[in-house]
Amino acid sequence: RYTDQAILVCLQIRCLFKLKLRQCQGFINWIFEISGAQITCPDYTTLSRRGKSLDLESLLGDADEEFNHVSIDSTGIQTYTGNEWLEKKHGLQYLRRIWKKLHIVIGDNGKIIANSTTDHKKDDRSQVKELTKNIKTKELLGDPGYDGENIYKMLRKKGIKPTIRPPNNLVVKKAKTERQHGAAYQQNKGYHAWRNKNKYGRRESVENTFFRFKNSFGSKFLSRNEDNMKNEMTIKCQLLNKIFEIGKPKSNEVLIKNLSIGINYIDTYHRTGLYPIPLPSGIGLEACGVIEEVGPDATLFKVGDRVSHASMPIGAYSEKHIMPENKLVPVPDGVSDEVASCVTLKGITAEYLL
């Protein structure tokens, strides 16, 4: 009755809003009801059963995409143990928390391109071969948890340069292998010298990704079944990629960090629908801010420029806002953020009327 795509969309909504399966069913049925659609959501047992068998291997990216470098790391995700109810009732910790590991690979574009879920006792190095089997890259960056001669040999055999931080306790008297040469360099010159030489700071993108992941979805599984847990992590990784794309400026666009936002009576027209706007949408037309990122082909402004805007697309009531560069006005140094955010639209209106 329901396609795999329908089941996937339901599970994506569940993960996005951190819902239990019954809550997810009720929420989606409510959306159908208010929209007038004569369909119903799959029941919670169907979502659980069908969710186990979804093939999500190609969900995270294009296998033909090539990268200059990728970064690999893992983090802990807490499972449901059944003792949470006892602890809430009696206020005692009954058993140690049980964790699983989420392993991910980040491309140089900032997106998750591969993932796996394992027991918390599984060695990080055991996942390198599986995670990199379909990835085309020139270099792989990893922390000391991925150090090992077998890892170096496997990556070099695939044409990938290993940039893995040597452990501090790895002492080399006579270096013979690539791994030993790297450890000897760090031993003689220090970690910061090794870090600068290998541009190891690029690996911090994977740490940032885990920060965004746990802030967006939390650090606990929603599912309890092993197969559902694995698919849940893949779905969340894909959603994080979607969120990442939404926040990136496209061709001839820039990302602005708003410093001051102007209030205009036209906002009431947008809220009431007197002036229809495409949904979903924020509101707010006027703001002044500084450019944080420039999209492809954008040439009128650069990062750090202070600009104001007072036109579509709306959405100025936000910390950051993506705008076409041809809708922006440079702000002179002598004009404050507050003045720039509130006079731009008024100035345009006065120019038009006069």
Side-chain angles (χ1 to χ4, degrees):
R1 182 182 176 185
Y2 297 101
T3 65
D4 285 348
Q5 183 62 30
I7 299 297
L8 175 59
V9 171
C10 291
L11 294 177
Q12 287 173 329
I13 293 173
R14 180 203 186 197
C15 292
L16 186 62
F17 294 103
K18 306 174 188 174
L19 302 174
K20 302 296 184 183
L21 286 174
R22 290 175 189 252
Q23 293 173 324
C24 180
Q25 179 186 347
F27 178 65
I28 295 175
N29 279 332
W30 172 75
I31 293 175
F32 290 152
E33 181 181 340
I34 63 174
S35 63
Q38 300 300 313
I39 53 177
T40 58
C41 173
D43 63 75
Y44 65 95
T45 56
T46 300
L47 290 176
S48 178
R49 175 173 47 83
R50 294 280 300 277
K52 301 175 187 177
S53 58
L54 290 178
D55 182 10
L56 305 180
E57 187 173 349
S58 61
L59 196 62
L60 292 181
D62 183 2
D64 295 328
E65 190 171 0
E66 297 185 8
F67 302 94
N68 289 319
H69 71 270
V70 299
S71 303
I72 188 171
D73 204 357
S74 67
T75 190
I77 306 292
Q78 184 183 330
T79 64
Y80 180 84
T81 63
N83 294 307
E84 285 77 3
W85 179 84
L86 291 172
E87 291 177 16
K88 183 176 181 180
K89 181 177 180 181
H90 301 292
L92 300 173
Q93 184 170 341
Y94 281 79
L95 289 175
R96 183 177 180 273
R97 300 286 192 222
I98 298 176
W99 300 81
K100 288 189 177 295
K101 277 186 178 181
L102 170 63
H103 308 261
I104 63 172
V105 178
I106 304 294
D108 53 21
N109 58 1
K111 295 182 183 179
I112 302 173
I113 54 177
N115 81 297
S116 66
T117 305
T118 66
D119 185 84
H120 71 282
K121 296 180 180 179
K122 200 78 169 178
D123 194 313
D124 288 347
R125 291 172 290 190
S126 67
Q127 299 302 299
V128 175
K129 184 176 181 180
E130 178 67 18
L131 288 173
T132 59
K133 67 178 182 180
N134 295 321
I135 295 176
K136 299 176 182 178
T137 183
K138 299 175 183 177
E139 185 179 7
L140 181 139
L141 294 90
D143 63 22
Y146 298 92
D147 179 70
E149 292 289 355
N150 59 329
I151 299 297
Y152 275 76
K153 290 177 182 178
M154 180 192 70
L155 292 175
R156 279 300 184 185
K157 189 175 181 180
K158 297 178 67 173
I160 300 174
K161 175 188 174 184
T163 302
I164 299 171
R165 180 186 172 184
N168 292 329
N169 59 359
L170 179 59
V171 179
V172 179
K173 295 183 179 179
K174 189 174 181 181
K176 295 181 180 179
T177 64
E178 180 181 7
R179 170 174 172 262
Q180 291 173 344
H181 279 291
Y185 185 90
Q186 179 176 273
Q187 181 180 322
N188 296 328
K189 302 285 187 178
Y191 164 67
H192 291 289
W194 180 91
R195 175 189 172 92
N196 292 334
K197 177 185 177 184
N198 292 280
K199 299 179 181 178
Y200 191 64
R202 295 172 294 169
R203 199 195 71 87
E204 292 173 1
S205 62
V206 73
E207 303 287 356
N208 177 265
T209 299
F210 278 136
F211 173 80
R212 292 189 292 112
F213 184 95
K214 292 190 175 182
N215 269 272
S216 299
F217 307 113
S219 58
K220 296 181 180 180
F221 284 99
L222 294 170
S223 308
R224 302 184 192 181
N225 176 271
E226 291 284 341
D227 293 330
N228 282 337
M229 286 181 184
K230 292 179 181 179
N231 281 347
E232 178 188 328
M233 288 298 103
T234 301
I235 290 171
K236 287 180 176 179
C237 288
Q238 186 241 6
L239 288 174
L240 197 69
N241 285 345
K242 289 284 187 183
I243 295 171
F244 182 80
E245 289 175 4
I246 292 171
K248 300 287 285 185
K250 298 178 176 59
S251 180
N252 297 310
E253 292 182 337
V254 298
L255 175 65
I256 304 168
K257 180 179 180 181
N258 289 330
L259 303 175
S260 178
I261 301 167
I263 299 175
N264 193 288
Y265 192 75
I266 197 174
D267 299 335
T268 62
Y269 296 163
H270 291 148
R271 287 201 301 268
T272 60
L274 181 61
Y275 289 179
I277 55 176
L279 299 175
S281 173
I283 57 173
L285 274 176
E286 304 177 77
C288 172
V290 60
I291 294 178
E292 281 199 343
E293 189 173 348
V294 175
D297 306 320
T299 57
L300 299 180
F301 298 96
K302 64 181 184 299
V303 173
D305 284 351
R306 212 161 52 105
V307 296
S308 68
H309 55 89
S311 61
M312 303 292 276
I314 66 173
Y317 291 175
S318 57
E319 292 183 7
K320 297 183 181 181
H321 192 197
I322 294 177
M323 286 288 294
E325 62 171 355
N326 61 356
K327 299 291 184 69
L328 303 176
V329 178
V331 177
D333 293 338
V335 179
S336 69
D337 299 331
E338 292 77 10
V339 170
S341 65
C342 64
V343 303
T344 303
L345 183 58
K346 296 173 179 61
I348 294 173
T349 304
E351 173 73 18
Y352 170 75
L353 293 176
L354 294 174

